[in-house]
Amino acid sequence: MAIRKSTMQEQVAAAIAAIEPNDRAVTTFHTITGPSPWLMNELGLIGQLFVKYYFVTLTERVVVVHKASRMSNRPKELVHVIPLDQARASISDVRRNTLWSSLRFQLPGEPKPTRLNIGRYWRAEMDVFTAGLLGGGAGVPPQGQPVPNPYQTPSA
């Protein structure tokens, strides 16, 4: 069971490398769909029927969405691979809050944007993701520029 963020990110990076070995992850975060994590928690097991768990990864070329295991926090099957141009047009309503941040993301084949709820633990990764898609900060570097590895700790 993966508990540490770095372990989960390494597992997602390995899953992406198995699909496309020439693409590198910029950032990965864990998300829960649904109207509100607070409401779904209040509904207990019934509320869990209405939410899905995903890992969303921004790479140099695409946005990759994997289902996440509810029990082990491991990436499961690949759900979507979205080109960056399409992903930039798919993100909206970014809300950065103290405990649960959220954004709306138009997943392919869905009639309306899906609300992705991101816990405080993953907020820095969400910030890199939104900046990479919407501009205004760190994120996807220009073509040909090296990408820092988000899975390595900086050496002092």
Side-chain angles (χ1 to χ4, degrees):
M1 176 179 203
I3 296 174
R4 294 182 52 205
K5 184 190 304 188
S6 61
T7 305
M8 288 183 251
Q9 289 172 324
E10 288 169 3
Q11 291 168 349
V12 173
I16 290 172
I19 299 165
E20 180 58 49
N22 296 327
D23 204 4
R24 292 190 295 175
V26 174
T27 189
T28 299
F29 63 89
H30 185 266
T31 184
I32 303 168
T33 65
S36 165
W38 301 108
L39 176 63
M40 294 297 107
N41 227 10
E42 288 296 316
L43 295 175
L45 291 175
I46 294 172
Q48 290 300 307
L49 297 174
F50 297 104
V51 298
K52 296 176 184 172
Y53 293 77
Y54 292 115
F55 282 108
V56 179
T57 304
L58 174 65
T59 72
E60 294 176 320
R61 298 183 189 130
V62 295
V63 172
V64 181
V65 181
H66 282 94
K67 276 192 175 181
S69 170
R70 292 174 189 247
M71 301 305 277
S72 66
N73 284 333
R74 290 181 177 270
K76 290 171 51 176
E77 69 264 13
L78 177 68
V79 180
H80 300 290
V81 177
I82 306 163
L84 285 181
D85 292 337
Q86 183 181 346
R88 285 186 176 103
S90 299
I91 189 172
S92 63
D93 196 23
V94 178
R95 297 182 184 195
R96 192 173 190 277
N97 294 315
T98 305
L99 292 177
W100 285 99
S101 298
S102 67
L103 59 90
R104 304 238 181 226
F105 198 79
Q106 181 65 51
L107 295 172
E110 296 291 327
K112 60 183 184 174
T114 302
R115 179 178 165 155
L116 303 178
N117 299 298
I118 300 98
R120 181 180 186 162
Y121 189 61
W122 296 94
R123 190 170 50 202
E125 287 77 10
M126 182 199 83
D127 291 342
V128 172
F129 177 81
T130 56
L133 288 181
L134 300 176
V140 179
Q143 285 291 63
Q145 295 293 321
V147 178
N149 186 344
Y151 307 115
Q152 290 179 338
T153 55
S155 57

